[in-house]
Every structure is written in C-alpha cells, then in structure tokens.
Amino acid sequence: MFDLIQEILKSDDKNNLRQFISLLRQLEKKYLLRNEILNSFHDYCQKQENSEHIYHSSNLSKLVSFTQEIILDTESVCFVIRPQIATQQAYRLLEDFTVEAISIQELLNLRDRLVNRYHPQEGEVLKIDFQPFYDYSPVIRDPKNIGKGVAFLNRYLSSKLFDDSRQWQDALFNFLRLHRYNDAQLLINERIQTQQQLSDCVKRALILLRKYRADTAYKNFCTELQNLGFEPGWGNTAYRVQETLEMLDQLIDSPDHQVLENFISRIPMIFRILLVSPHGWFGQEGVLGRPDTGGQVVYILDQVKGLEKQLQENIELSGLDVLSIQPKVIVLTRLIPNSEDTTCNQKLEKIYDTANAWILRVPFREYNPQLTQNWISRFEIWPYLETFAIDAEQELIEQLQGKPDLIVGNYSDGNLVAFLLARRMNVTQCIIAHALEKSKYLFSNLYWQDLEEKYHFSLQFTADLIAMNGANFIVSSTYQEIVGTQDSVGQYESYQSFTMPDLYHVLSGIELFSPKFNIVPPGVNEDVYFPYSRIGERNLSDRSRLENLLFTLEDATQVFGKLADPSKRPIFSMARLDRIKNLTGLAECFGKSQELQEHCNLILIAGKLKSEDSTDHEEISEIEKLYQIIDQYDLHGKIRWLGVRLSKDDSGEVYRVIGDRQGIFVQPALFEAFGLTILEAMISGLPTFATRFGGPLEIIQDQINGFYINPTDHTEMAEIILKFISKCDQNPNYWNEISQRSQERVYSNYTWKIHTNRLLSLAKIYSFWNYTSKEQREELLRYAESLFHLIYKPRAKMLLEEHMHRHW
Ligand code: UDP
Ligand code: LCN
C-alpha cells in the first residue's frame, strides 16, 4: 500500500488526491467511514473531465477502494487501509504530501485525540495485547481459509506426529487412557501399559476380529477384546471396531490428517453438555418476540435437540449402550421470579421432544430484589454474572452428577459465564456469539463513555475479549462473522485493535488467523418448517385459521389494516420491531413504489401494535414510525400489520400459507448476523429477498436460490422485487424454479444434523489439541483472568452500586 500511495504522489493522481481531500474537508467532519468515503469519491469523480478513468482505473480509485476510514487531522490526513481481509494498515499524509506508515498505537492515539481524550501528560492508558500468546501456536496463512480451523489443525497435528513420532504417539496413548464414563473405564485398560504394547495389541485385535462376521454385535466378542486390553468404545459391531482400530493402526504408523480427524471424532468423550445463555427470557413458549430473545433461543433449543440425537447415535455406534449410558444436555439460564406469562420462574424444565435435555434456571443473587426479581436487559446484567456462575456450578454438578464434558457459551454474557465455569471445572469451552453488539452500533468503542449509561459497552467488550481468547474454539455461523467481506470489517475482526478512550487500548484483541475459528452454520427445525407443497403433512384447520388471520380477520387487538384486494401476491416479513430489523424501511420502500402496491399486498408480523405495550425505546419509536409511514404513503387497504407473537407451529404454517399464494419473503435488516427467518422462509419454498449486509450474503446465492437487496436503497429494492414479479408474470414457472432451489439450498447446507455432527467432532479435536499441546494456554488464561479482575469486576461493581440506587 505504501508503494501505491507513492505512485499516486508521483503522478497526475496527486492533484486529484489533493482536491479530493479538500472536498472531504468541506464536509466538516473529522472522521469519515467507508460509505461516506465512497460516496464522496463518486461525487468528486462526477465533476471531473476524465471521471470514468479516475473513478474506475486510477491508482487513486484503488487506494479509495481499500480505505476503511479517513481521519482528517489539522495538519495531516490519516488513511486506515484494509489491503486484504483481516489486515489493517494506517498511513499519514502530511501537508507537504509526504507519507509515512503509522503504528497501531499511533492510530489509537490519533482516534483518542479526535474525541478529546488524548492526554499523555497524565500518563499512559492500559494496553491490552493478546498477540504474544498466539506467537507460538499455529496460524493459518491464507485469509480465505480463516474459519476452517479444524482442517488446518488436523494437518498441523498429523505433521507433528510425523516429525516427532515418539512424543506424539505417547501423547495419543496417554489421551486414550483418559476416558471414563462414571466409574467405567473406556477404550483401553491397565493391560496395556505402553505405547508399544498398544501398537502390538491393536494388531492382535485386528487378527482376532477377522473371525467374526461384520455385523456381529460387540457384546459377542467384548470379553476377548477386554483380555487384550480393550474396553468398550471402539464400535458396536465387529466391522465398526475393526474400522476404528485400523484407523489407530494407521495413525501409529503413518499419520494422516483425515484419518486423525475421523479417529478422534469417534472417541467417546462427550456425554454431558452444558449450553449457557443467561440473559432474557429463555423458555419454550411465549418468549419469542420479546426484547433480547429471538433467534438465539430458537437456535439453542433446536441445537439441543440435534445434539442429544447425535450424542445418542454416537454412543450407540461406539458400542457404549451396553453400559446403558444416557447423554444429558443442560441449558443454563437465569431464573426470573416475576416471570409474567412464561415458565422462566421454574428451576427445571424438560425440553420438548428430548429424552434428557433440560433448561436449568438459577436466580441472580438478590442484591436489589426490585431488579433481580424481574427481567433485566442484556445491557444491564453484567454485575450478576460472576456470582451466577458460582451458584450455577453447584447446581450443575448435582444435575449432571459430575462436570460437563463440553461448555458452549452463547452471546457475550453466556460466553463470559462459560469462561468462568470452564476455568473452574477445567472443561473444553466453545463460544458462539450470534451477534456482537460492537459492530452493530457505530463508534460504540470510540464514544463508549457517552453510551455507557444506556449500554455499558465497557463491560461487554471486556467480557468479549476475555471469552473469545479464553475459548478453546469459536463457532461462527458465517465467514463474514469472523472477518467480513472485501468491503466490510467482520464482527470478530472489529476486536483486532480498538480504543476505549481513557480505559484501554487494544493493540491485539484477537488472532483472526488462529485455528480456533470454525464456521458451523445452524440448521432449521425440519418438523416445523417444511415446503408448502407437502400438503399431506399440513394441518388444514391451522391453515385456514392462519389464512384468515393473515388476510381477512378484523380484530383491532391483533391486526391493523384491511386489504382492499386480499388476492394480490403477498410480500411477507416477520421480525421484532428493532431499528436494525428495519421493517419500517420495507414499509417505506413499499410506500414509495406505486407499482409494487399495484401488484402486491404487504403483510408484516411484528409482535406488537401499540407503543403503550412496550417499554423498549427502540421498539416504541419503530411502532410510531410505522404508523407514520402508513399515513404518509396512504397504505391503507394495502398493508396488514399483525401485532401477534406466533407459536412455533403457527410460525411454520404462516410461511406455507404465503407459499400457497405464490408470495415472497423479504428480510430488510440494516444488518443481520445470520438470519434464521431466511432459512425458514427458504425451506418453506418462498422466494426470499434478503439484506446484503451480513449472513444472508452467504446463505443465498443471488438470483439462483434467492435475491440480495440493499435495504438502504428503496428504489433499487423495489426494482429487484418488481423484476422478479414481472418474470413470474411472463413465465408462470419462474416462481416454482426459485422456490425449488431455495428448498434445495437449505436441505443441502443448513441442517441441524450437519451442524451437530460438526460441533461434536470439533469439541473432541480441540480437547485432544488442548491435551497434547499446552503451549502458552495457561499464561493466556491467566492474562484473560487479570482483565476480568482488574477491569471487568471493578466496573461491574460500579454498575451494581448504580443499580442499587436507581428506581426500577
Ligand atoms: N420469530 C417468531 N415470532 C416473531 C418473530 C420471530 O417466532 O414474532 C422467530 C423466527 O421464526 C425466527 C426467530 O424468531 O426463528 C428470529 O431469528 P432471526 O435469526 O431471524 O433473528 P433474531 O431475532 O435472532 O435477530
Ligand atoms: C441473532 C441474530 O441477530 C440472528 O442474525 C441469528 O440468526 C440468530 O441470533 C441465531 O444465531
């Protein structure tokens, strides 16, 4: 990049750069973000004679295309450049047009200065740097392989097995000796004492197995294997045991990464799983659509079901059912005594359609009963988490009759509790973020002090840094959740370096190239969401009840709007009325396009109708805005707004009812981390138009099995929908083609079976990695703990004191 800037400064581009900067200065803003930079550059080029060249092919255009931020200081201009995904550089251009690279530290100082928070004379601000802990661990080289951590790790581990076979074979041997279920020893017993004996006994066992038919059940030869030194866990039939032992035999002789992955994935080491999600309403009914609970609850409940099934299948395949093992999965959340119409005041709740999966609710300690008896926003719960983890530990040990084999945290609060519990119990820790707030709120770190009263980002971001570094592995739903796209910074990437003025500077917050990152997208509940065309599986009375609710029912308590022509093609959307979900943007787009209104009705399911029913400031303002848009564009007779919260089964049928009328689904969010409604709509067979900002970009393949929209460009958005509708009018089969392909996309890529299989295999491989290589991990964990004690806890205490004195 330095060379590119030098080139610019030596050529005609220099003049353009000078004029472009003076145009930026006229904006009277000191800090320009990518969109503003691109728009201003476009405006600048438009006014130039050779606009085409400057805009498309000049070196200046190249520089602009890599620029994420421009900071206009009094005597210099700073370009923050992202030459490739996950890499950041900064350059300062001085008044005399000389250029110099600046360090991360200088950039953070500059940002502080911009908000008048730079005062070196009063001493240095704390610097957080996790990089040294990753210096000795393996890192991925190519950014396109970020998120494929386990594949990389397996290659790395097997090459180590090659390099230092003695040490690694011992490690493998010792790892195999570890596994037990309650009091029962698994895999190998005391007859096998050394790695050499293991190797010999594997060969003897393979000879022994030859005399059995492939489908002979394990119980028929278990004693013979036991005499050789092998306990249950190798397989449920002669064939499966033989396969597993052959893998081990091959690993001992000539390690290969695929064999290593397959072998480790077969080791029975996970029987009890803990998922942590403390905040919000966590229940199975009547919780969706409330603030803080949405896709995260849906995701976890479906994941639990998938995990239990997979654990049962794995136990059976490994031959362990002879020991009558029943796996257990617990979702740990907070108990809310004033639970309104939910079950959140129950300590234990069995999860539907499972044999042994439970929601375990542990109350927050009663520092201030007015507060802790009630629902607390996720932005306020930080002071209660440490004691929650301590109290939960005892409950968990009782419920699980021991400690879990894997802890999975969800969202910043759950991830912090997962870190604390994993550390206390010495268990493998995985984290899942769903959506990190840091990138949702512009400048959330730079102006954290102004936002602190409402959002307490200082606690949340510190918790995130602790949890993401402490975790053994991180599961993300998409690639861009980790490192964004060519144009936009990823959610985890935004933790790479940042300033929290007056609190700390993060010089290296996370190693994005670490193999701990793995993309494992969620699935969709196929019992609830399935194609509209499977008429035989649908409940016809639900179907007509919901048809009535969607299109005709007149009931002011549930629905606003009466359709003049209910037979028009429905444009459907369903989301909470959060600003970021942008249902109001969709209504505005519809309002601005007469043509859309001629062809379609707009049907919105948005949880609430009246601002009096909400206490959430964002929700109230969205409700008011939606009424205002309906009036402004006179959408009466063309829109139905349903203020209902649907049960799970009804939400499945609603998509299908829209499918019956060849309707479409639009997901207009300003940013969507993943977007479960998109999977639900697609599997139901609805042509889906989803935001290009966030996860949907990876779910949908544009114009093949769905369409991208830019929710900030209403004209373009309407055009894309209208183009689809006109194609459907010309070719009556077009709707079916897209519908078919969207179903296929979900069935082949987004099922819970694929997800849980992968998650369990990751958990095993990272446990193995953790056991065999202790490189820097203890030091890293102690550093993370120091941040917890020295930054997080004092701030949590301050917030608690504030809570004690606030009237709720
Ligand atoms: N949902 C629902 N009722 C509503 C709104 C949403 O059941 O009124 C469900 C929806 O079917 C989906 C989830 O809530 O399963 C929303 O998940 P998504 O990932 O789309 O967004 P989030 O709300 O998590 O941001
Ligand atoms: C939270 C979100 O905002 C959604 O984008 C995801 O789909 C959901 O969680 C489940 O991960």
Side-chain angles (χ1 to χ4, degrees):
M1 279 297 132
F2 185 75
D3 293 345
L4 178 71
I5 303 177
Q6 291 290 2
E7 286 284 311
I8 291 173
L9 297 179
K10 277 191 243 143
S11 68
D12 291 351
D13 276 339
K14 181 175 177 180
N15 210 19
N16 284 316
L17 178 60
R18 187 192 310 265
Q19 293 180 42
F20 177 49
I21 290 172
S22 81
L23 179 102
L24 294 180
R25 288 206 185 272
Q26 285 165 27
L27 297 176
E28 296 198 347
K29 274 182 158 182
K30 291 194 156 178
Y31 208 134
L32 294 160
L33 294 181
R34 186 160 171 77
N35 244 347
E36 296 165 300
I37 300 167
L38 293 178
N39 290 340
S40 306
F41 186 61
H42 181 259
D43 293 349
Y44 171 77
C45 294
Q46 292 275 299
K47 292 184 200 127
Q48 308 307 310
E49 265 177 24
N50 49 349
S51 62
E52 279 295 297
H53 165 72
I54 308 175
Y55 191 59
H56 291 292
S57 44
S58 66
N59 278 335
L60 181 57
S61 72
K62 226 186 250 173
L63 175 68
V64 169
S65 73
F66 291 122
T67 305
Q68 282 294 327
E69 292 168 23
I70 292 181
I71 303 172
L72 297 151
D73 207 3
T74 6
E75 279 142 27
S76 64
V77 181
C78 170
F79 286 81
V80 181
I81 294 181
R82 191 166 169 262
Q84 62 170 2
I85 281 177
T87 306
Q88 180 186 283
Q89 298 168 356
Y91 295 93
R92 181 188 288 130
L93 190 64
L94 299 167
E95 271 182 330
D96 62 359
F97 271 55
T98 51
V99 65
E100 58 191 25
I102 61 172
S103 65
I104 290 174
Q105 183 58 71
E106 285 174 288
L107 176 62
L108 300 184
N109 289 343
L110 174 62
R111 287 182 175 144
D112 284 359
R113 208 164 58 227
L114 204 73
V115 290
N116 295 324
R117 304 277 185 190
Y118 182 61
H119 12 250
Q121 64 289 356
E122 287 167 30
E124 295 264 323
V125 71
L126 171 72
K127 293 174 183 60
I128 296 178
D129 187 356
F130 277 97
Q131 192 52 49
F133 302 106
Y134 291 93
D135 278 349
Y136 299 99
S137 48
V139 284
I140 288 167
R141 298 260 159 255
D142 188 340
K144 73 171 183 300
N145 291 329
I146 290 175
K148 298 179 190 161
V150 87
F152 172 84
L153 199 56
N154 286 328
R155 270 194 298 268
Y156 177 84
L157 284 173
S158 48
S159 76
K160 278 221 155 194
L161 278 167
F162 258 137
D163 287 353
D164 190 349
S165 58
R166 186 74 236 161
Q167 189 198 339
W168 281 84
Q169 284 169 13
D170 281 349
L172 187 62
F173 168 63
N174 288 327
F175 185 69
L176 291 177
R177 283 158 50 133
L178 285 181
H179 303 286
R180 307 175 69 79
Y181 180 79
N182 292 342
D183 293 331
Q185 178 67 36
L186 308 179
L187 298 174
I188 49 182
N189 60 34
E190 74 294 337
R191 284 169 207 260
I192 299 177
Q193 285 295 332
T194 63
Q195 132 70 24
Q196 188 51 49
Q197 279 174 8
L198 174 66
S199 175
D200 296 343
C201 291
V202 167
K203 293 192 195 307
R204 286 167 59 196
L206 284 171
I207 295 169
L208 182 154
L209 286 167
R210 274 193 221 143
K211 67 177 183 210
Y212 291 101
R213 271 181 45 168
D215 58 357
T216 312
Y218 171 70
K219 63 176 185 316
N220 297 319
F221 53 85
C222 66
T223 320
E224 282 176 274
L225 278 186
Q226 212 159 23
N227 291 338
L228 268 181
F230 295 101
E231 293 294 320
W234 298 95
N236 57 340
T237 59
Y239 180 69
R240 180 111 185 150
V241 174
Q242 186 192 340
E243 247 187 359
T244 318
L245 288 173
E246 270 168 2
M247 284 181 201
L248 178 58
D249 192 36
Q250 192 183 335
L251 273 182
I252 294 171
D253 281 348
S254 52
D256 164 277
H257 62 96
Q258 200 51 57
V259 178
L260 182 67
E261 172 166 354
N262 293 344
F263 178 73
I264 302 285
S265 303
R266 282 189 178 198
I267 297 182
M269 52 173 131
I270 299 179
F271 307 100
R272 307 171 184 102
I273 300 181
L274 169 65
L275 310 178
V276 192
S277 177
H279 78 251
W281 304 101
F282 195 103
Q284 301 185 78
E285 266 163 41
V287 297
L288 293 182
R290 287 165 177 255
D292 290 7
T293 46
Q296 185 172 325
V297 175
V298 175
Y299 177 116
I300 296 171
L301 286 174
D302 287 342
Q303 189 187 44
V304 166
K305 291 173 195 158
L307 279 171
E308 189 191 54
K309 252 193 225 139
Q310 198 59 52
L311 286 175
Q312 286 165 340
E313 197 181 307
N314 291 354
I315 287 170
E316 195 192 323
L317 281 174
S318 59
L320 288 188
D321 50 347
V322 288
L323 301 173
S324 2
I325 292 177
Q326 196 185 27
K328 188 160 186 166
V329 185
I330 286 187
V331 180
L332 171 68
T333 188
R334 65 170 291 230
L335 184 144
I336 310 177
N338 293 339
S339 62
E340 301 184 12
D341 54 351
T342 71
T343 51
C344 294
N345 59 348
Q346 286 178 18
K347 177 176 167 183
L348 266 181
E349 181 181 335
K350 178 94 179 286
I351 297 180
Y352 305 148
D353 304 327
T354 66
N356 198 15
W358 304 82
I359 301 173
L360 170 67
R361 299 192 180 91
V362 174
F364 283 171
R365 287 197 196 163
E366 282 198 1
Y367 296 100
N368 173 357
Q370 261 184 331
L371 179 65
T372 44
Q373 291 274 315
N374 296 307
W375 171 83
I376 304 172
S377 147
R378 67 190 188 281
F379 295 120
E380 301 281 346
I381 61 166
W382 308 107
Y384 310 99
L385 295 179
E386 188 183 14
T387 45
F388 173 76
I390 295 169
D391 298 346
E393 186 182 350
Q394 283 319 310
E395 291 282 355
L396 284 165
I397 290 180
E398 238 168 74
Q399 294 296 329
L400 292 170
Q401 305 278 299
K403 57 182 194 173
D405 304 307
L406 169 68
I407 301 183
V408 184
N410 288 274
Y411 189 73
S412 309
D413 59 338
N415 290 335
L416 182 70
V417 174
F419 168 81
L420 297 171
L421 285 169
R423 189 77 178 126
R424 291 170 74 93
M425 301 200 244
N426 192 20
V427 173
T428 302
Q429 180 207 355
C430 160
I431 67 163
I432 299 180
H434 299 282
L436 291 163
E437 302 302 331
K438 187 163 177 295
S439 38
K440 272 204 210 160
Y441 293 80
L442 268 191
F443 297 123
S444 51
N445 58 296
L446 195 59
Y447 293 110
W448 71 271
Q449 290 167 93
D450 304 334
L451 300 167
E452 193 66 357
E453 198 187 328
K454 210 155 142 196
Y455 295 110
H456 309 292
F457 286 142
S458 68
L459 282 150
Q460 183 153 14
F461 299 166
T462 310
D464 287 338
L465 286 172
I466 294 168
M468 58 182 72
N469 283 289
N472 294 91
F473 68 105
I474 299 177
V475 159
S476 81
S477 296
T478 60
Y479 176 80
Q480 58 185 291
E481 184 179 327
I482 313 170
V483 282
T485 63
Q486 282 303 337
D487 296 321
S488 60
V489 173
Q491 293 189 67
Y492 283 99
E493 191 180 1
S494 73
Y495 286 77
Q496 216 180 7
S497 69
F498 62 99
T499 169
M500 294 288 278
D502 293 331
L503 185 62
Y504 53 69
H505 280 174
V506 177
L507 300 181
S508 172
I510 183 73
E511 173 52 90
L512 299 165
F513 290 85
S514 158
K516 67 161 59 175
F517 282 103
N518 283 281
I519 305 163
V520 189
V524 61
N525 187 329
E526 292 160 50
D527 295 330
V528 176
Y529 305 99
F530 54 85
Y532 77 100
S533 51
R534 289 206 211 146
I535 297 288
E537 290 162 51
R538 293 172 62 180
N539 178 325
L540 297 183
S541 81
D542 285 347
R543 178 185 177 182
S544 54
R545 176 174 54 80
L546 290 167
E547 266 187 339
N548 183 30
L549 175 69
L550 285 172
F551 301 107
T552 38
L553 179 76
E554 288 184 40
D555 174 358
T557 62
Q558 298 190 66
V559 192
F560 176 87
K562 182 167 190 281
L563 297 178
D565 177 2
S567 70
K568 283 185 187 171
R569 191 189 294 275
I571 297 179
F572 173 54
S573 195
M574 174 165 77
R576 282 172 290 124
L577 275 163
D578 277 2
R579 191 191 66 83
I580 204 116
K581 292 286 177 189
N582 194 34
L583 284 184
T584 47
L586 173 60
E588 204 165 357
C589 160
F590 185 67
K592 286 177 182 165
S593 168
Q594 284 302 327
E595 218 182 329
L596 263 188
Q597 294 168 37
E598 271 160 37
H599 288 87
C600 306
N601 288 318
L602 180 61
I603 314 288
L604 301 177
I605 297 191
K608 291 204 175 87
L609 282 178
K610 296 193 189 103
S611 47
E612 307 88 87
D613 294 342
S614 177
T615 49
D616 185 277
H617 58 275
E618 271 191 24
E619 196 173 44
I620 294 172
S621 104
E622 287 294 291
I623 292 175
E624 286 164 1
K625 195 166 164 199
L626 194 48
Y627 282 117
Q628 181 248 315
I629 291 168
I630 293 173
D631 285 341
Q632 182 184 349
Y633 296 100
D634 191 16
L635 294 179
H636 301 279
K638 301 167 183 172
I639 186 171
R640 296 250 308 164
W641 165 6
L642 283 76
V644 292
R645 231 173 25 223
L646 297 174
S647 70
K648 187 124 183 155
D649 285 339
D650 278 359
S651 78
E653 186 57 23
V654 153
Y655 290 106
R656 294 188 285 270
V657 168
I658 301 287
D660 292 335
R661 299 182 177 219
Q662 300 223 320
I664 63 170
F665 183 75
V666 182
Q667 212 287 10
L670 299 174
F671 175 77
E672 186 62 64
F674 184 73
L676 291 176
T677 53
I678 294 163
L679 293 189
E680 294 162 2
M682 287 173 75
I683 202 171
S684 309
L686 300 187
T688 298
F689 296 71
T691 179
R692 56 165 68 251
F693 302 125
L697 204 61
E698 284 171 51
I699 304 175
I700 289 175
Q701 294 164 303
D702 193 28
Q703 305 187 48
I704 297 174
N705 41 39
F707 302 85
Y708 299 149
I709 50 168
N710 175 351
T712 59
D713 186 340
H714 293 160
T715 318
E716 187 201 83
M717 191 165 144
E719 272 167 15
I720 291 172
I721 300 175
L722 281 165
K723 191 167 156 203
F724 170 80
I725 290 171
S726 107
K727 271 194 168 177
C728 290
D729 290 343
Q730 286 157 18
N731 168 8
N733 205 31
Y734 187 58
W735 188 95
N736 285 326
E737 282 170 23
I738 300 287
S739 166
Q740 200 58 43
R741 280 189 241 137
S742 25
Q743 297 166 38
E744 281 157 18
R745 175 77 177 158
V746 180
Y747 281 120
S748 54
N749 293 277
Y750 299 98
T751 69
W752 283 111
K753 173 89 187 148
I754 304 175
H755 174 99
T756 44
N757 214 338
R758 194 82 200 123
L759 180 61
L760 289 177
S761 126
L762 290 178
K764 293 175 181 181
I765 292 160
Y766 285 93
S767 301
F768 177 60
W769 167 239
N770 195 27
Y771 177 77
T772 50
S773 134
K774 301 246 179 302
E775 290 166 17
Q776 304 278 311
R777 185 140 170 91
E778 186 57 25
E779 292 90 325
L780 182 149
L781 293 173
R782 290 214 178 272
Y783 185 63
E785 263 171 354
S786 310
L787 298 184
F788 177 72
H789 287 284
L790 300 175
I791 302 176
Y792 182 92
K793 276 181 75 162
R795 299 199 69 80
K797 197 163 167 231
M798 271 160 47
L799 180 57
L800 184 65
E801 273 158 23
E802 203 191 291
H803 281 177
M804 303 290 270
H805 297 112
R806 215 191 283 173
H807 280 289
W808 294 90

